Amino acid sequence: MIVILLGPPGAGKGTQAERLAKTFGLVQLSTGDMLREEVRGGTDLGKEAKKIMDAGGLVSDAIIIGMISSRIDSLKGKGIILDGFPRTTAQAEALDKMLDDKGLKLDHVIQLKVDEDALVERLGGRFACAKCGAGYHDTFSPTKQDGVCDRCGSTEFSRRSDDNPQTVRSRLVAYREQTAPILPYYEKKGALKAIDGMGEMDEVFRRIRGIVES
Ligand code: ADP
Ligand code: ADP
Ligand code: ZN
């Protein structure tokens, strides 16, 4: 099974992708996570990408497409959730061709719809465990015990440098101008399923689950 989660920054793609991965035994492929890994590793690609990510822009299609293609090959047919990819029409077209060439089929394209005010609020309070990467939110999903990761017990946390108000504004513009245009692309193919991404995380997950199980 191959599922795409589409939506603006802060819509809950990562949160829901993790649940889908666990529930359905799929592998979560997040291009944002892959890029942050390159940044941490200090690779040439990472250095190039960091400038663009900090400015809230999009990394070049060629880099992203190459990265995803080799990752899909390494999974040898396992089910996949694409989180944060595709983000441009060129990426969507390249994905179609890639899947065709690899003899794979796209099952669901799920769009998470969330109000802009809620996006800003979600991104503003997002943090993660520095050790295991578990995701949290100051208000909506705090740790059970203050300052201690529920999953691994670590007391160190991090916030993404691009979750500051100014970069968030640029990321929302990039979404509107470069990513939203791919919605009609999938709509024309009859693959797009839009769901309400407002409300509790569990409730949103139930909506997504309904589509994946259909
Ligand atoms: P994305 O991957 O789309 O950028 P995330 O899954 O990282 O979004 O979610 C952004 C922030 O909002 C995180 O801090 C997460 O805990 C929180 N969040 C996710 N889904 C919801 C929800 N349904 N209600 C409230 N907060 C949410
Ligand atoms: P979010 O969904 O919260 O905006 P991501 O972790 O998906 O965050 O992406 C973080 C940044 O990484 C983006 O703002 C962009 O600069 C870059 N990026 C991630 N995925 C892509 C992609 N498919 N194409 C181009 N740039 C990407
Ligand atoms: Zn942890």
Side-chain angles (χ1 to χ4, degrees), residues 4 6 12 17 22 28 33 47 52-53 70 73 77 103 124 132 142 182:
I4 295 176
L6 264 181
K22 210 181 280 166
Q28 172 186 0
D33 286 347
K47 285 181 197 142
I52 298 166
M53 293 163 83
S70 58
D73 288 339
C132 75
I182 69 180

Side-chain angles (χ1 to χ4, degrees), residues 5-192:
L5 285 185
L6 264 181
K13 300 180 298 295
T15 302
Q16 299 299 336
E18 198 187 320
R19 287 166 192 235
L20 275 172
K22 210 181 280 166
T23 309
F24 295 98
L26 307 173
V27 179
Q28 172 186 0
L29 289 188
S30 156
T31 42
D33 286 347
M34 290 176 204
L35 291 169
R36 281 184 289 278
E37 190 72 37
E38 297 283 341
V39 172
R40 267 195 300 278
T43 64
D44 287 343
L45 195 169
K47 285 181 197 142
E48 192 56 41
K50 184 168 169 40
K51 286 185 245 160
I52 298 166
M53 293 163 83
D54 281 344
L58 294 183
V59 174
S60 88
D61 289 332
I63 289 178
I64 299 284
I65 291 163
M67 216 167 66
I68 274 282
S69 176
S70 58
R71 201 62 75 97
I72 292 178
D73 288 339
S74 75
L75 293 177
K76 302 190 190 333
K78 273 193 206 129
I80 297 171
I81 307 160
L82 293 169
D83 156 12
F85 174 88
R87 244 176 164 98
T88 62
T89 305
Q91 291 179 20
E93 287 167 354
L95 175 65
D96 272 346
K97 177 159 187 314
M98 198 188 297
L99 294 180
D100 238 16
D101 291 347
K102 300 182 200 297
L104 300 170
K105 177 181 146 284
L106 180 61
D107 293 278
H108 305 284
V109 180
I110 302 174
Q111 177 197 2
L112 291 171
K113 297 178 85 166
V114 176
D115 301 342
E116 191 147 322
D117 289 350
L119 296 174
V120 171
E121 201 179 4
R122 287 184 188 183
L123 293 170
R126 169 158 71 181
F127 66 99
C129 172
K131 199 167 167 201
C132 75
Y136 297 98
H137 189 280
D138 293 323
T139 313
F140 306 123
S141 177
T143 55
K144 288 198 183 81
Q145 196 188 327
D146 209 23
V148 182
C149 176
D150 297 353
R151 194 197 284 168
C152 78
S154 165
T155 53
E156 290 194 36
F157 296 88
S158 64
R159 287 181 194 260
R160 275 170 50 174
S161 61
D162 59 347
D163 276 346
N164 69 79
Q166 195 189 338
T167 306
V168 164
R169 271 195 296 277
S170 304
R171 287 159 63 203
L172 291 172
V173 171
Y175 178 78
R176 269 198 300 274
E177 292 181 352
Q178 294 175 266
T179 306
I182 69 180
L183 296 168
Y185 176 85
Y186 287 117
E187 199 159 25
K188 271 190 219 117
K189 290 170 168 287
L192 188 70

